[in-house]
Amino acid sequence: MIQLIDVHKKFGKQVVLDGVNFNVQEGETVALLGPSGTGKSVLLKHIIGLIHPDSGTIIVDDKDVVHLKRHELAELRSHIGYVFQNGALFDSDDVFENVRLGITDDAKYRDLDYARARVAECLKLVNLPPETVDKFPAELSGGMRKRVGIARAIAGNPKYLLYDEPTSGLDPVNADVIDELVRSLAETLGVTGVMVTHDVRGAFRTANRLALLTGGKIVQQGTPKEFLASTDPRVQEFLERDFHNATIAA
Amino acid sequence: MATEALDFPRLVGRWFLNATSHVGRVTMLLADLVRSLNEVRIWVPRMFTEAWNIGVGSLFIVLLISGFAGGVTALQARYQFTGTIPIYYLAGVIVESIVLELGPVLTGLILAGRIGARYAAELGTMRVTEQIDALESLGRSPSSHLIIPRVVAGLIMIPVLTVFADVMGIGAGWFSMKLVLPISDADFAYGARTFWRPFDATYSIIKAFFFAACITVISCYMGFNTQQGAEGVGRSTTGAVVSSSVMILLLDVILTKLLLNQ
């Protein structure tokens, strides 16, 4: 379970998170929606301890992320897969090494036979051909890089998966492929997921619940149907553009 | 005018806070490096790759510049001292100038530009493209994967390159002297030995070691703390080269005072 209680974060004078309360139950996928620059990625980085809050509590897997020691945080992170917005692949390593680094168990990471099999398995899960292993990130398309990023995130058999705008910058066809992938990974691996996005249609297709972050606060959390029924003008304004598609998907 | 007078203490205060913050963060980085040293399996293989890149990649430019420096030192020594001191003394002047000063300092400054810029740009790019965040998110230590290999490789290879620079500089000085002065090999060797102390070679290596620490730690620190995209990478790279070069010159004075003027 992931739980954020009254989380505050400022960068200089800019308030990014202003008392955020947010929770994700075991096994569900929650889409975190919100306009650009509202702090969705910042919130996601708080969950994995890459950014520390000014105040508030962050509980992941019954552990208080803020007060964990270095090795405890590393141990917790080994159960969390993080998909970065632009893949964040290591550009001096080939795809094999990139995905292999996702194997967080040190003994398994060093076992080259296991690593080869696991990398091949993860690439298959994200619909990438086996020959991709020898390519370098610079040789991959945007969609392929995102999928390699997802393969790396799942290589360590994580309990939690955090996606930072997995479909941004992709054409609709590739965006649909990634959405479908997120949904099938949740079903096949049974992971708990948080997906940051401003693609309403994709969020409705993949998530069990949605949350809207705006003005530094979560202003609405609920199932897609509850979201559509919301009378909050901020929710309605955000949904307006994709309302038609969202209705169809719901 | 009154506003300027009010601003001055604020500027000094801001500068002081910035400086203190840098010192604090460098200390934290060093503490993290020490804590991650036990992850030998991670950093040793990467260290060999970095050492190869520093050593082989920089050898030509180090030899070229130290060769020219040796040659010019010989020609200037001839211009300054011919007729005032015995000619074989010039060999001593050349060898001592190169081993005590020009070899380590020039190598340090060249590598501050070559290695310092490279490390800061590499790590800075990794920071702004979230590759360092990705490494941390996988529960892995950026120190053992990225920084320790670079720092240790520098600590090993920069003194080795300095030895090469010393030898090349002396060789070039010897060759240049023979071109412009009637000095035999035996006279050159005699003059060189007259002023030589065994500690001189050690001193050259000690200086190179400190310069290596300064170049690698500063450039890794600058790159690791890069902010704000491509502009930030540029700022970190420039900052790494300038800070490393200034620190090399400062360390040069301090080490000379501590080791040669007790």
Side-chain angles (χ1 to χ4, degrees):
Chain A
M1 183 173 151
I2 298 170
Q3 203 173 7
L4 278 77
I5 306 161
D6 196 27
V7 172
H8 291 257
K9 182 68 185 176
K10 275 201 299 187
F11 290 109
K13 287 177 184 169
Q14 190 192 357
V15 178
V16 179
L17 303 179
D18 188 17
V20 165
N21 291 294
F22 177 66
N23 61 72
V24 184
Q25 302 300 322
E26 292 290 319
E28 71 172 349
T29 299
V30 176
L32 184 61
L33 297 161
S36 299
T38 47
K40 303 186 295 294
S41 301
V42 170
L43 191 151
L44 210 60
K45 285 182 177 175
H46 276 82
I47 294 174
I48 200 168
L50 288 173
I51 297 178
H52 286 275
D54 297 334
S55 65
T57 308
I58 297 161
I59 309 285
V60 178
D61 212 20
D62 297 326
K63 295 182 182 80
D64 183 351
V65 175
V66 181
H67 296 107
L68 289 179
K69 290 186 181 133
R70 189 169 175 262
H71 67 276
E72 291 169 336
L73 187 58
E75 159 66 17
L76 176 66
R77 283 170 173 167
S78 68
H79 300 297
I80 304 174
Y82 195 113
V83 180
F84 286 83
Q85 194 170 346
N86 295 309
L89 302 180
F90 306 113
D91 42 26
S92 53
D93 289 335
D94 59 16
V95 168
F96 173 74
E97 271 308 317
N98 265 284
V99 179
R100 186 185 172 204
L101 269 170
I103 302 171
T104 46
D105 181 318
D106 214 31
K108 288 178 178 170
Y109 172 80
R110 285 201 305 276
D111 180 348
L112 211 55
D113 291 334
Y114 173 84
R116 280 202 192 99
R118 182 65 188 147
V119 169
E121 191 183 352
C122 292
L123 290 178
K124 195 176 170 192
L125 272 171
V126 298
N127 300 321
L128 282 172
E131 57 269 23
T132 317
V133 287
D134 297 326
K135 293 190 186 299
F136 280 82
E139 299 171 290
L140 303 174
S141 69
M144 288 172 90
R145 272 203 291 270
K146 294 223 178 205
R147 278 187 272 172
V148 173
I150 295 173
R152 183 177 66 186
I154 60 175
N157 290 313
K159 203 170 164 187
Y160 301 93
L161 267 172
L162 309 177
Y163 304 90
D164 190 357
E165 310 225 10
T167 57
S168 73
L170 294 182
D171 62 86
V173 175
N174 267 317
D176 283 352
V177 170
I178 298 281
D179 285 340
E180 185 52 36
L181 188 60
V182 172
R183 210 170 56 80
S184 68
L185 285 175
E187 279 170 12
T188 53
L189 304 177
V191 291
T192 305
V194 180
M195 183 172 74
V196 159
T197 182
H198 44 224
D199 171 19
V200 177
R201 183 169 159 267
F204 273 75
R205 281 166 53 114
T206 51
N208 307 105
R209 281 197 305 126
L210 301 102
L212 178 65
L213 177 73
T214 183
K217 291 180 192 296
I218 300 282
V219 295
Q220 176 82 36
Q221 283 193 70
T223 62
K225 279 187 178 149
E226 285 167 347
F227 229 69
L228 287 172
S230 171
T231 53
D232 189 318
R234 292 166 296 188
V235 177
Q236 292 197 336
E237 186 189 2
F238 193 77
L239 292 181
E240 204 169 288
R241 194 176 65 84
D242 289 313
F243 195 77
H244 180 64
N245 289 332
T247 310
I248 293 166
Chain B
M1 193 66 187
T3 318
E4 279 174 24
L6 282 174
D7 276 349
F8 183 69
R10 187 183 292 173
L11 278 176
V12 173
R14 192 175 294 161
W15 180 86
F16 181 74
L17 281 176
N18 264 338
T20 321
S21 146
H22 280 302
V23 171
R25 279 187 288 175
V26 168
T27 311
M28 297 282 284
L29 180 76
L30 291 174
D32 200 40
L33 293 191
V34 172
R35 273 202 303 248
S36 304
L37 273 176
N38 60 347
E39 295 175 24
V40 175
R41 279 205 196 99
I42 305 287
W43 64 260
V44 167
R46 289 171 169 80
M47 184 269 292
F48 282 118
T49 312
E50 292 298 335
W52 177 264
N53 287 338
I54 295 178
V56 175
S58 311
L59 188 60
F60 173 73
I61 188 72
V62 166
L63 291 180
L64 183 76
I65 292 181
S66 55
F68 276 107
V72 170
T73 308
L75 297 176
Q76 283 189 349
R78 179 229 178 202
Y79 169 75
Q80 284 181 296
F81 300 118
T82 306
T84 56
I85 54 174
I87 202 167
Y88 65 86
Y89 274 25
L90 294 186
V93 172
I94 292 164
V95 170
E96 292 297 290
S97 305
I98 287 167
V99 173
L100 296 180
E101 183 65 15
L102 291 176
V105 172
L106 280 179
T107 306
L109 291 174
I110 297 161
L111 296 179
R114 195 177 180 280
I115 306 299
R118 184 179 152 188
Y119 281 2
E122 273 177 1
L123 294 177
T125 306
M126 289 187 81
R127 170 62 77 193
V128 300
T129 55
E130 295 184 308
Q131 291 177 50
I132 293 177
D133 284 348
L135 208 51
E136 286 189 77
S137 77
L138 295 166
R140 300 182 181 278
S141 155
S143 294
S144 56
H145 279 77
L146 302 173
I147 302 182
I148 296 178
R150 286 171 166 82
V151 172
V152 175
L155 291 177
I156 295 169
M157 292 314 294
I158 293 177
V160 170
L161 286 168
T162 301
V163 172
F164 276 100
D166 289 347
V167 172
M168 183 67 184
I170 293 168
W174 188 339
F175 181 72
S176 300
M177 263 190 86
K178 285 184 71 169
L179 284 182
V180 294
L181 285 171
I183 183 169
S184 67
D185 292 346
D187 280 348
F188 187 93
Y190 177 73
R193 277 202 304 270
T194 306
F195 294 98
W196 180 259
R197 299 174 188 86
F199 178 69
D200 294 349
T202 312
Y203 172 76
S204 188
I205 292 169
I206 290 173
K207 270 172 96 164
F209 184 81
F210 276 91
F211 294 165
C214 152
I215 294 166
T216 52
V217 171
I218 289 176
S219 52
C220 286
Y221 165 75
M222 291 281 191
F224 199 72
N225 289 286
T226 299
Q227 290 174 332
Q228 295 167 357
E231 191 191 338
V233 175
R235 217 171 18 238
S236 296
T237 308
T238 314
V241 175
V242 172
S243 308
S244 304
S245 304
V246 171
M247 278 301 291
I248 284 170
L249 298 175
L250 192 66
L251 274 175
D252 190 26
V253 176
I254 294 169
L255 290 172
T256 307
K257 172 69 186 148
L258 288 178
L259 299 175
L260 297 185
N261 290 276
Q262 289 171 336

